[in-house]
Amino acid sequence: MIAFALRLAVSGGREAVGRLIVIAAAVAVGVGLLLSTLASINAVDKANERQLWTNTGAASRTESAPVDPLWWWGHGDYYDGREIFEADVAATGPTSPVPPGLAALPAPGEYYVSPALAELLRATPAAELGDRLPGRPAGVLGDEALPSPDSLFAVIGRTPAELEGVHGARRITTIATAVPAVCDNDCPGAGVRGDAMTLILSVVAGALIFPVVVFIGTATRLSAATREQRYAAMRLVGATPGQVSVISAVESTVAAVVGTVVGFGLHFALRPLVATVPFTGERFFVDDLTITPLQAVAVALGVPVAAAVAARLALRRVTVSPLGVTRRVTPKPPTHWRLVPLLAGLAELGWFVNRRPDTTDGQTAAYLTGFLVIMLGLVVAGPWLTLATARGVARRTSRPATLIAVRRLADDPKAGFRSVAGLVLALFVTTATVCVIGTIDENRGALSGDPQTRVAVEHGAMVDEPPMTDALPAQLLADLRAVPGFRGLTVGHDNPQALGREPGERLGFSPALVLCTDLAQTPVAGHCPAGADVAGVPQFAFLDLQSNAAHEWAAAPISAAAAAELPVRTVLVTTDGSAAAMERTRTLLTRAYPQYRARTVGDWGSTQQKQLAGWRQLADVVLLTTLPIAGCSLAVSVVAGLSDRRRPFAILRLTGAPLRLLQRVVGLESALPLLVVAAIATGTGFAASAMFLKSQMDYDLVSPGAVYFALVALGLAVSLGIIASTLPLLRRITGPEAARNG
């Protein structure tokens, strides 16, 4: 029976082969997307594992081994918004532990860098970056030490004497292989939260795969009426219901198996492209995009089975009698209760406005559940909305084409909505994605504060650290002022007696003492009272890189000469804002005082910008994938409907109905539910994203730009164009021969 079913599946001529190709293509796209999502989730885990070694210097680590200790100082740096991790190491003996990616520790005066950092060093003037690394390059780090091919890592060889006494440096005997239990800003290798990224990618996968599932279900309905007649004929000559079920399942499973095989090939072919999408802010290694044997088996077996079940459900209302009579059971009309899931999802998100859960798991459960319920609610409510629209239009029209179209929609609103379900859901996903990402980008995408803060470089000790030096060398000051683009320089001196302290200064730390002649060079840091020689400027005014241009600091009762003799805590340099000027300044300060980090406003925003870039990529993937798939689903659905109704339409033409009338009927049947439910889905996307943003981030929804509205209008126009492109088929499939009894 199976062999007979296989022959039957491809013996129906071009129509049968075309149907199998469409189903196989839909399954292939779905399998490719599913495998790419699973591989991306696995790649996040692998990337996290390979950067665990950077946590070696965490103070909470207690692991030990009977080897020579290794001095370790892990710290960060930046170049033009790109973060660099540096580990300064000093062996105390031949058995000191070696980080991954290295065959041996670098000797004092040597360093190993990642391939990406090596390339950056070659392409960048040494005065802007290379001079920060002492000594000479000894080689490159292996991929096993890097989470991404874009990672900027360096391991620098030092002597024990150079690291003794450096704040944050410690002796270790093991290299970290796990995230420490406690991280006090000393766990650079904590990595991307795997559970959070799994959640994000799972939601994206759902948004991508759902239209594919709709596409598969739509494709299986191609020539449904012809197949029903074939099954009826089989029953008439003695086939049992079980045999007919086997034939039906085999026809769909053949295409699903072929599609699954092609989908695996599609996944492997697209791995280099998927690896370039910065889901975590950086690219993946291509070899990290792998699937486990269990995942491969589950997809290889589960997708064909699921496709066969979906195909069977697509014809579940067809009853074939032993006499060969095929009838369709008229479904009951949907009721208004179908709105309940949609309203429940919106109410769930609305309830959490001003009630954001305290834990990440609680937030995940709250918001993910709300969005999933809304998506399900749109699908469930779609037929009722279609029915309500059809009845409303029927009461207000007398045109024959409109009356026929809305009567058919009212008779079977599920079928009417099914053709546009994928596109409707794609519009909801598009709207919610654009609104959320756009609002976050509007609030976080641009650096905040006075533009003057974006041209400043700050370097010095934190408030709980001792001063960085007794005095700045004259040569360093001269070099800083000689940098092209230099604008001003302010030195903050130590203030052991808390002179010039303002009421309410946070944490009770003493302000830095700043000469008014220096402060005048950097207006962004504030100004002195009239006639004052020295002012007390809070250290956080430097460390936070905030604009204080309008602030007048309190005068300090100390002479300028005496203040200038005090140890130096911090240096603030302003430039013309060019990357070259800021990075040359950073390099000079880092070379002079490597145990302290030079900071800019752009550094703090780089990680955030990298994350936003990844989210924008995800949004682009969703938009560029769901809309074309939904459009294909719409085209196949309209063609399937025409094919199944060729005989009724042919009879109408024989009775005198003009072809243009039938074309208007077909167009209205698809366009009416598309436009009405699409408008509701778009509005729902706005509402859901607004409630999520207000609850989770306390952001007010920012209206998408003209590009979004143009995209939606273009999508609807293309959808209507797809519908219109299928109408010429009516002339060919409704000729007199189609009216004959089969």
Side-chain angles (χ1 to χ4, degrees):
M1 182 57 66
I2 294 179
F4 171 72
L6 290 173
R7 291 196 303 271
L8 194 63
V10 296
S11 62
R14 289 184 301 175
E15 185 176 339
V17 174
R19 181 179 67 252
L20 294 178
I21 290 175
V22 171
I23 297 174
V27 172
V29 172
V31 169
L33 291 173
L34 179 59
L35 292 175
S36 295
T37 301
L38 294 174
S40 298
I41 293 173
N42 296 338
V44 172
D45 293 336
K46 292 182 179 180
N48 284 343
E49 290 175 1
R50 282 204 304 275
Q51 61 181 320
L52 291 173
W53 67 276
T54 62
N55 299 314
T56 296
S60 62
R61 291 188 64 240
T62 59
E63 297 88 348
S64 62
V67 298
D68 296 321
L70 174 72
W71 276 100
W72 179 282
W73 178 42
H75 56 102
D77 196 3
Y78 286 88
Y79 174 79
D80 196 20
R82 300 181 65 183
E83 188 172 8
I84 303 172
F85 171 77
E86 299 176 2
D88 291 42
V89 296
T92 62
T95 62
S96 294
V98 179
L102 293 175
L105 291 169
E110 295 182 344
Y111 58 82
Y112 289 86
V113 295
S114 62
L117 182 53
E119 182 179 350
L120 184 62
L121 288 169
R122 287 192 295 269
T124 305
E128 297 179 21
L129 178 61
D131 288 346
R132 302 179 204 174
L133 300 177
R136 60 181 181 82
V140 296
L141 291 169
D143 290 349
E144 61 270 26
L146 308 174
S148 165
D150 296 329
S151 299
L152 304 180
F153 282 15
V155 179
I156 303 168
R158 300 279 191 177
T159 64
E162 289 178 303
L163 294 183
E164 288 183 25
V166 172
H167 183 76
R170 59 191 297 258
R171 289 158 57 100
I172 56 95
T173 55
T174 61
I175 302 297
T177 57
V179 177
V182 178
C183 290
D184 186 17
N185 295 322
D186 56 1
C187 297
V192 177
R193 281 197 53 195
D195 56 345
M197 186 54 60
T198 298
L199 168 64
I200 293 171
L201 292 175
S202 298
V203 172
V204 171
L208 294 174
I209 292 173
F210 188 88
V212 176
V213 173
V214 173
F215 187 17
I216 294 172
T218 301
T220 59
R221 293 182 179 86
L222 280 170
S223 303
T226 303
R227 282 179 286 162
E228 292 163 21
Q229 294 175 4
R230 180 191 301 166
Y231 299 153
M234 293 178 185
R235 291 294 309 278
L236 186 62
V237 297
T240 66
Q243 291 173 325
V244 172
S245 297
V246 170
I247 293 173
S248 174
V250 168
E251 280 189 310
S252 300
T253 305
V254 167
V257 170
V258 173
T260 301
V261 174
V262 175
F264 271 85
L266 187 65
H267 160 64
F268 286 108
L270 292 179
R271 282 204 312 165
L273 179 62
V274 175
T276 63
V277 180
F279 294 115
T280 62
E282 292 183 335
R283 295 179 299 157
F284 290 130
F285 284 108
V286 174
D287 291 341
D288 285 350
L289 289 166
T290 59
I291 52 177
T292 65
L294 179 60
Q295 291 170 337
V297 171
V299 172
L301 298 180
V303 171
V305 171
V309 172
R312 184 61 182 154
L313 292 177
L315 300 173
R316 65 187 181 278
R317 294 191 295 107
V318 177
T319 303
V320 182
S321 72
L323 296 179
V325 179
T326 303
R327 67 181 179 88
R328 287 187 177 273
V329 181
T330 301
K332 294 181 179 180
T335 66
H336 63 276
W337 290 106
R338 283 178 168 265
L339 292 174
V340 170
L342 178 59
L343 297 177
L346 291 171
E348 193 261 4
L349 286 180
W351 191 88
F352 283 104
V353 174
N354 299 324
R355 297 185 181 91
R356 187 181 73 170
D358 295 330
T359 65
T360 300
D361 290 340
Q363 294 167 16
T364 298
Y367 304 129
L368 179 60
T369 300
F371 275 98
L372 292 180
V373 171
I374 289 173
M375 293 168 69
L376 176 64
L378 285 171
V379 176
V380 173
W384 184 85
L385 295 171
T386 301
L387 174 64
T389 302
R391 289 176 175 176
V393 173
R395 288 193 294 267
R396 293 171 174 80
T397 187
S398 58
R399 296 177 179 273
T402 306
L403 285 172
I404 294 173
V406 296
R407 175 56 191 271
R408 292 184 59 84
L409 286 175
D411 182 61
D412 192 359
K414 292 182 181 178
F417 173 73
R418 187 185 301 125
S419 64
V420 299
L423 193 60
V424 165
L425 197 66
L427 282 174
F428 168 77
V429 172
T430 298
T431 301
T433 301
V434 170
C435 287
V436 171
I437 299 299
T439 299
I440 294 175
D441 194 37
E442 181 71 19
N443 284 272
R444 299 181 180 178
L447 296 176
S448 60
D450 192 312
Q452 295 181 77
T453 64
R454 305 172 201 169
V455 302
V457 180
E458 187 275 337
H459 191 83
M462 302 298 289
V463 292
D464 57 345
E465 296 176 348
M468 67 176 188
T469 184
D470 290 334
L472 294 177
Q475 185 59 51
L476 174 61
L477 293 173
D479 290 342
L480 289 171
R481 292 189 172 96
V483 171
F486 171 85
R487 291 292 182 267
L489 184 151
T490 291
V491 178
H493 296 273
D494 197 28
N495 186 6
Q497 298 180 1
L499 301 176
R501 181 174 176 179
E502 293 190 343
E505 185 174 336
R506 57 171 155 164
L507 301 182
F509 289 107
S510 299
L513 294 176
V514 180
L515 276 63
C516 292
T517 52
D518 284 356
L519 204 56
Q521 299 180 40
T522 57
V524 68
H527 60 274
C528 292
D533 293 326
V534 180
V537 180
Q539 296 179 52
F540 289 105
F542 295 106
L543 298 176
D544 293 351
L545 287 171
Q546 296 177 347
S547 175
N548 294 285
H551 196 93
E552 181 178 287
W553 304 111
I558 186 174
S559 68
E565 296 296 323
L566 293 172
V568 175
R569 295 199 62 84
T570 186
V571 178
L572 180 71
V573 180
T574 56
T575 69
D576 61 1
S578 66
M582 297 186 72
E583 296 306 330
R584 288 191 65 175
T585 299
R586 190 203 303 263
T587 299
L588 288 169
L589 292 169
T590 300
R591 285 186 62 188
Y593 304 102
Q595 65 270 37
Y596 302 101
R597 178 188 297 187
R599 290 175 286 269
T600 70
V601 170
D603 298 344
W604 296 347
S606 66
T607 301
Q608 176 177 283
Q609 294 293 322
K610 188 167 62 175
Q611 186 181 52
L612 285 173
W615 290 350
R616 294 189 197 103
Q617 286 277 0
L618 286 177
D620 292 341
V621 169
V622 171
L623 298 182
L624 296 177
T625 304
T626 56
L627 292 178
I629 292 174
C632 293
S633 178
L634 176 63
V636 172
S637 178
V638 175
V639 172
L642 290 176
S643 178
D644 288 345
R645 290 176 287 165
R646 65 174 65 187
R647 188 166 181 270
F649 282 151
I651 293 174
L652 284 173
R653 287 195 65 187
L654 288 177
T655 59
L659 180 62
R660 186 172 297 276
L661 173 69
L662 300 182
Q663 290 176 337
R664 285 199 294 266
V665 169
V666 173
L668 286 170
E669 284 184 19
S670 299
L672 193 61
L674 169 64
L675 296 177
V676 172
V677 185
I680 294 174
T682 302
T684 302
F686 277 108
S689 57
M691 289 185 286
F692 165 76
L693 289 165
K694 191 65 177 177
S695 174
Q696 173 68 4
M697 302 177 181
D698 199 27
Y699 290 161
D700 292 324
L701 176 66
V702 176
S703 177
V707 174
Y708 161 77
F709 292 103
L711 180 64
V712 171
L714 178 63
L716 292 176
V718 170
S719 301
L720 295 175
I722 291 172
I723 296 172
S725 68
T726 63
L727 298 183
L729 291 174
L730 271 174
R731 182 186 299 276
R732 188 169 59 188
I733 68 175
T734 58
E737 68 281 357
R740 294 179 299 178
N741 291 325

